[in-house]
Each structure stands twice: as C-alpha cells, then as structure tokens.
Amino acid sequence: MAPPQLTDEAGVKTEEGGGTCSRRFFTWEEVGLRTGRIQPYNEHWLVIDRKVYDVSRFHRRHPGGSRVMRHYAGQDATDAFTAFHLDKNYVSKFLKPLLIGELAPDQPNCEPNKNQLITEDFRKLRSTVEKMGLLKPNHLFFFLIFVHIVLLDVGAWLTIWYFGSSLVPFLTGVTLFATAQCQMNWFQHDLGHLSVFSKSKWNHRIHSVIMCIMKGLGAKWWNTMHFQHHAKPNCYKKDPDLNMHPFLFALGKKLAAELGMQKKKFMPYNHQHKYFFFSGPGLLLPYFQMSVVYLSIKRKEWLELALLISFYIRLGFMYIPLMGFKYLMAFYVLARFGEICCFTWVSQMNHIPMHIDYDENTDWVSTQLQATCNVDQSFFNDWFTGHLNFQIEHHLFPTMPRHNFWKVAPLVKSLCTKHSIDYQCKPLLTAFGDIVRSLKDSGQAWSDAYMHE
C-alpha cells in the first residue's frame, strides 16, 4: 500500500516515512503562484513533464536569456522546452539541481484551463515527426543556400569593380548586396534555431560567425530577442516584437482600444497604416545597430563585439578603393534599408494581422496558431521568405529544418481540422496587404475609444 500523503504548512504534499520528506507534490494552483510577481511567492517555478523546477536563480544564467524562462514562470513549459532543445539529455543535466518535486498524482498533465486533448494529440504528432526524421537537416541543402548567398555578395563587389560606380552598376550592386543580406538573414535564422547541424554547438558557433562577420549583428542579441518571440508570440510584454506598441504603433484591436480608453496618444495611431511604410523599416535599422552594441558592452561580450566590427572593416577594404568612403556610406545605407524593408514585411505579414493580446497561457498549439499564419507555397515565396511562408509549422517545430516544412504541413492541417483550429494560408500580396489593413483597423479601434467620452 502506498504511504499516506500529508500536507505541510506551506500546502506541500509529502510522503510519510521516517519523519523525513522523501518526495514533494504540488498542485497547479501552487505552481501558478510562483510567477515571480506575486508576494510572498516571489519564486519562479515551472513544470516540465510533470516535474516542478525552481528557476528563481538559474534563469539569469539561461543561455537563451533570462526572460524566455521567466515568461513561463508559474506555467507548464513542457512543449516549449521540447521545441527549443535538440539534446534533451544534455539539457536535463542542468535541470536536475533545480528539481524540487512533481505534480501530485491527482493533477492533470497540463493546467486545467488548457485543452488537454489538443496537447496530447500534438505530442503524438511530434513523436511521429521525430520518427519520420523530419527534424534532421539536409546538409547539402544548407550548403547550397550558403553558396548562393556568397555568390550574391561577391557579385555585388564584382559589379562595382568591373563596371565602376556610375548609377546603373551602383544600384545593381546595392540590389545584389541587399539580396545577399536578406538571404543571409534567413540563413542565420536557421542556425539560430539549431536546424542546420545535428549538434547544437556547431549551430551556435557558425551562427556567431555568420551574424557578426557577414551581417554586422550579434548572435547572442538575436537569441535573447527571438526566443522570447517564439515562446510567447504576439503576447504583449512578453514578445519583444511588440515593443513598438504603444510608442510607435497601436497593435491589436484590444490593446489599441485600451490605449484609447486611457486617453494615451504617443502617435496619431489612426494614421499608422500610412506612416508604417517609412517609419517601420526606417527606425528598425538604427534600433538594431544600437541595441546590438549596447547589449554586447553590457554583457561584456568583447569577442562578439570585435567580430561585429570586423564586418565594417571588411566592407571598407572591399569597397573604399573602388568608390571612396562617401559612396560606400550611400551604398551601405541604401542596401540596409532595402534589406530591412524586406525583413519587416516578411516577418510581420505572419504576425501583425493575427491575434495580439496579453499572455492567456493557452496550450502550445493554440498559442502558436492564433499568432501565426502561412503564405502560399511557390519556389519564389519559399526563396524570398526563407521558407517563413510556413510560419505555422516553423512556430510549432522551431528546430525543424526549413526544407521539411512542406512535409509536415498536411499533418498540422489535419490536427487543426480535428480540433477546429483556424489554419490560415493566403497569397503573398494578400499577406502584405493584411499588414496595412490590420494597422488601419487597430488604429480605428484606438480612435473610436479615444474619442468616446
């Protein structure tokens, strides 16, 4: 017979035996109080596979950044943990010292407010995906991707070297360099998600080289920002991609109306669908550059900062002898602006038109599907977006190599159909237009609430 369970003064269930606590059991309610924001329960707890971990101190040393772990404090992090880590056994070594107990036997596998059937079906789907080998990278595919990026980069330099810096070759060079940087952005994204190599360490190492030397940005800065986005997409105050709300844009009808009712007007939001065309891409470039340098200095990442500076040294050696410093600055600014325009439209077409709200702590599938949509597959769309036209599959399986998204898409659609979850897929131009339409709608929601007395 199992030993009787007792409850101590803190409400923690233990097993009776010899006067010592051999095992601690918790309820979801107890875990839910440990978000780090509720006194006196100011700890950070989370659940992975029914085991309860206290990450109150560890989150500061978490390689993916402190915030991504704190975003799941008081919640079940099982699916997020599984989605982000390639080598579960290796990572588990760091979790063992943090283990403080497990869920009581009478507790469900996930929080009572979550759809347990969807969660169970998705975990079965993930198991199927792993057995099908869809999480294994095709090294030849990524090698060819890298080669074509290098050819674009070299082509930009050869154009200026051979034809000179008159208007037509200058603009041709800018276009080729901007295209190379766009494609490099999608390639570094693959590396950052650990989907190019089978070993995490090689993805991290090559990611640092690519981001710093070939793009002039920081890998650790990217990891800190992007993993939060994947953990809680379109969740205000948790997804850093929404940091432009409310100082630049009013995003999502609910949040926009909330601003209006509070009589807050940092910008004329009812015109945001118009100024998005120049303010969005125009402000992202200096923001990225300053935040990368700031974070590198703050964290004393001197090697990454040195590698980042080497990018600009490389550009100087390549282009100043051909066109001089002033023309190089014009070349660089135009190319970067073109790149950031492409990045802005591609990255936002899948998210801004979707549901934006505070964290509702829904199941993993619902969290990702309500914040993402797909764009129709074609050779151009796949290439132009770096396969981020399969945003739904990418968010459900962040470490999946992009060349396998089309294979898992039918399985994801079947799961969505079974549970009546909206699986949105649209043409590329429609997706671009939806950015503007959603900004106009949320701007109108703000205006209506702001003018209402």
Side-chain angles (χ1 to χ4, degrees):
M1 178 182 294
Q5 291 183 344
L6 302 178
T7 302
D8 64 12
E9 293 180 357
V12 177
K13 296 178 180 178
T14 62
E15 286 186 356
E16 185 181 67
T20 61
C21 177
S22 60
R23 202 175 210 179
R24 302 179 70 190
F25 292 100
F26 302 96
T27 65
W28 281 113
E29 182 179 3
E30 290 166 332
V31 173
L33 292 172
R34 271 65 177 193
T35 63
R37 296 184 297 273
I38 302 175
Q39 296 294 338
Y41 309 105
N42 56 356
E43 305 103 325
H44 295 82
W45 292 5
L46 51 80
V47 176
I48 300 174
D49 289 328
R50 296 188 62 85
K51 292 181 171 59
V52 182
Y53 299 91
D54 184 349
V55 297
S56 302
R57 294 184 179 181
F58 177 78
H59 71 79
R60 297 183 180 89
R61 297 182 285 114
H62 182 234
S66 171
R67 292 182 179 179
V68 69
M69 186 166 272
R70 284 189 285 131
H71 290 344
Y72 272 93
Q75 300 178 10
D76 179 24
T78 302
D79 292 311
F81 172 81
T82 303
F84 293 139
H85 300 94
L86 284 182
D87 191 343
K88 311 296 186 300
N89 293 329
Y90 174 77
V91 178
S92 296
K93 296 178 182 179
F94 297 93
L95 287 176
K96 285 182 180 179
L98 311 176
L99 180 64
I100 59 173
E102 60 186 279
L103 294 173
D106 62 341
Q107 295 295 297
N109 288 332
C110 59
E111 295 100 315
N113 63 295
K114 293 182 178 178
N115 190 318
Q116 189 164 340
L117 291 178
I118 293 177
T119 300
E120 291 175 354
D121 281 351
F122 174 73
R123 291 175 184 175
K124 291 178 183 177
L125 172 59
R126 182 175 179 90
S127 178
T128 300
V129 165
E130 291 175 350
K131 292 176 182 177
M132 292 174 64
L134 298 183
L135 298 181
K136 296 179 180 179
N138 182 330
H139 296 127
L140 177 61
F141 172 86
F142 287 111
F143 174 75
L144 293 176
I145 288 289
F146 180 72
V147 168
H148 110 279
I149 293 170
V150 172
L151 290 176
L152 287 168
D153 190 87
V154 172
W157 181 83
L158 286 175
T159 300
I160 304 298
W161 172 76
Y162 187 80
F163 294 103
S165 56
S166 57
L167 184 61
V168 173
F170 179 83
L171 293 178
T172 302
V174 166
T175 302
L176 289 171
F177 183 78
T179 304
Q181 288 295 303
C182 285
Q183 291 299 315
M184 187 66 72
N185 191 51
W186 310 142
F187 183 59
Q188 70 80 21
H189 178 265
D190 296 322
L191 288 162
H193 278 292
L194 314 179
S195 62
V196 178
F197 298 99
S198 301
K199 297 291 184 180
S200 298
K201 65 178 181 179
W202 285 110
N203 284 291
H204 288 307
R205 289 172 182 175
I206 305 302
H207 187 218
S208 293
V209 172
I210 292 294
M211 277 294 274
C212 296
I213 297 178
M214 301 194 73
K215 283 200 64 67
L217 295 174
K220 293 184 179 179
W221 161 82
W222 184 90
N223 288 338
T224 299
M225 301 290 285
H226 196 65
F227 288 163
Q228 292 181 69
H229 163 69
H230 271 269
K232 295 289 184 179
N234 280 14
C235 293
Y236 182 50
K237 295 188 176 179
K238 290 192 174 183
D239 182 355
D241 286 7
L242 300 183
N243 285 347
M244 50 190 159
H245 174 97
F247 300 108
L248 191 58
F249 301 104
L251 301 176
K253 290 183 179 180
K254 179 179 178 179
L255 299 182
E258 186 178 276
L259 281 179
M261 289 186 287
Q262 296 171 355
K263 304 303 178 186
K264 292 184 178 181
K265 184 181 181 182
F266 296 99
M267 294 288 285
Y269 303 121
N270 50 318
H271 296 290
Q272 63 182 1
H273 59 290
K274 302 172 185 175
Y275 63 74
F276 168 80
F277 289 91
F278 59 89
S279 62
L283 293 176
L284 271 182
L285 176 57
Y287 169 73
F288 281 174
Q289 296 291 168
M290 290 187 294
S291 59
V292 167
V293 174
Y294 169 77
L295 191 63
S296 297
I297 294 175
K298 180 181 178 181
R299 295 187 174 183
K300 298 181 180 181
E301 299 287 351
W302 306 123
L303 176 60
E304 187 162 287
L305 185 60
L307 291 175
L308 188 154
I309 294 172
S310 71
F311 167 79
Y312 298 98
I313 295 175
R314 176 176 73 89
L315 283 186
F317 275 114
M318 288 177 65
Y319 287 99
I320 288 179
L322 302 181
M323 61 175 70
F325 180 75
K326 291 183 179 179
Y327 276 98
L328 171 58
M329 290 304 297
F331 179 93
Y332 176 75
V333 171
L334 284 174
R336 277 295 197 213
F337 185 77
E339 175 203 353
I340 210 72
C341 282
C342 173
F343 169 80
T344 301
W345 286 90
V346 170
S347 63
Q348 298 309 311
M349 68 181 183
N350 306 102
H351 296 299
I352 281 187
M354 305 302 290
H355 179 73
I356 299 176
D357 204 344
Y358 295 94
D359 182 16
E360 298 171 327
N361 190 23
T362 54
D363 59 86
W364 177 257
V365 175
S366 299
T367 296
Q368 305 303 328
L369 265 292
Q370 69 183 4
T372 58
C373 65
N374 279 7
V375 167
D376 292 343
Q377 182 185 22
S378 70
F379 177 81
F380 175 79
N381 288 354
D382 292 353
W383 172 81
F384 181 71
T385 68
H387 288 83
L388 293 182
N389 49 329
F390 288 96
Q391 194 72 225
I392 292 173
E393 288 70 28
H394 171 56
H395 267 257
L396 289 176
F397 307 98
T399 62
M400 179 178 288
R402 59 162 125 158
H403 52 74
N404 286 333
F405 289 156
W406 68 274
K407 297 179 182 178
V408 77
L411 302 178
V412 174
K413 289 179 184 177
S414 297
L415 177 69
C416 292
T417 301
K418 178 180 179 180
H419 294 282
S420 301
I421 299 174
D422 190 19
Y423 182 104
Q424 291 192 37
C425 188
K426 60 187 75 170
L428 181 65
L429 295 182
T430 300
F432 286 163
D434 283 347
I435 297 176
V436 180
R437 282 186 283 271
S438 63
L439 288 173
K440 184 177 181 180
D441 290 343
S442 57
Q444 188 61 49
W446 168 84
S447 180
D448 293 342
Y450 188 84
M451 298 302 293
H452 181 72
E453 296 183 2

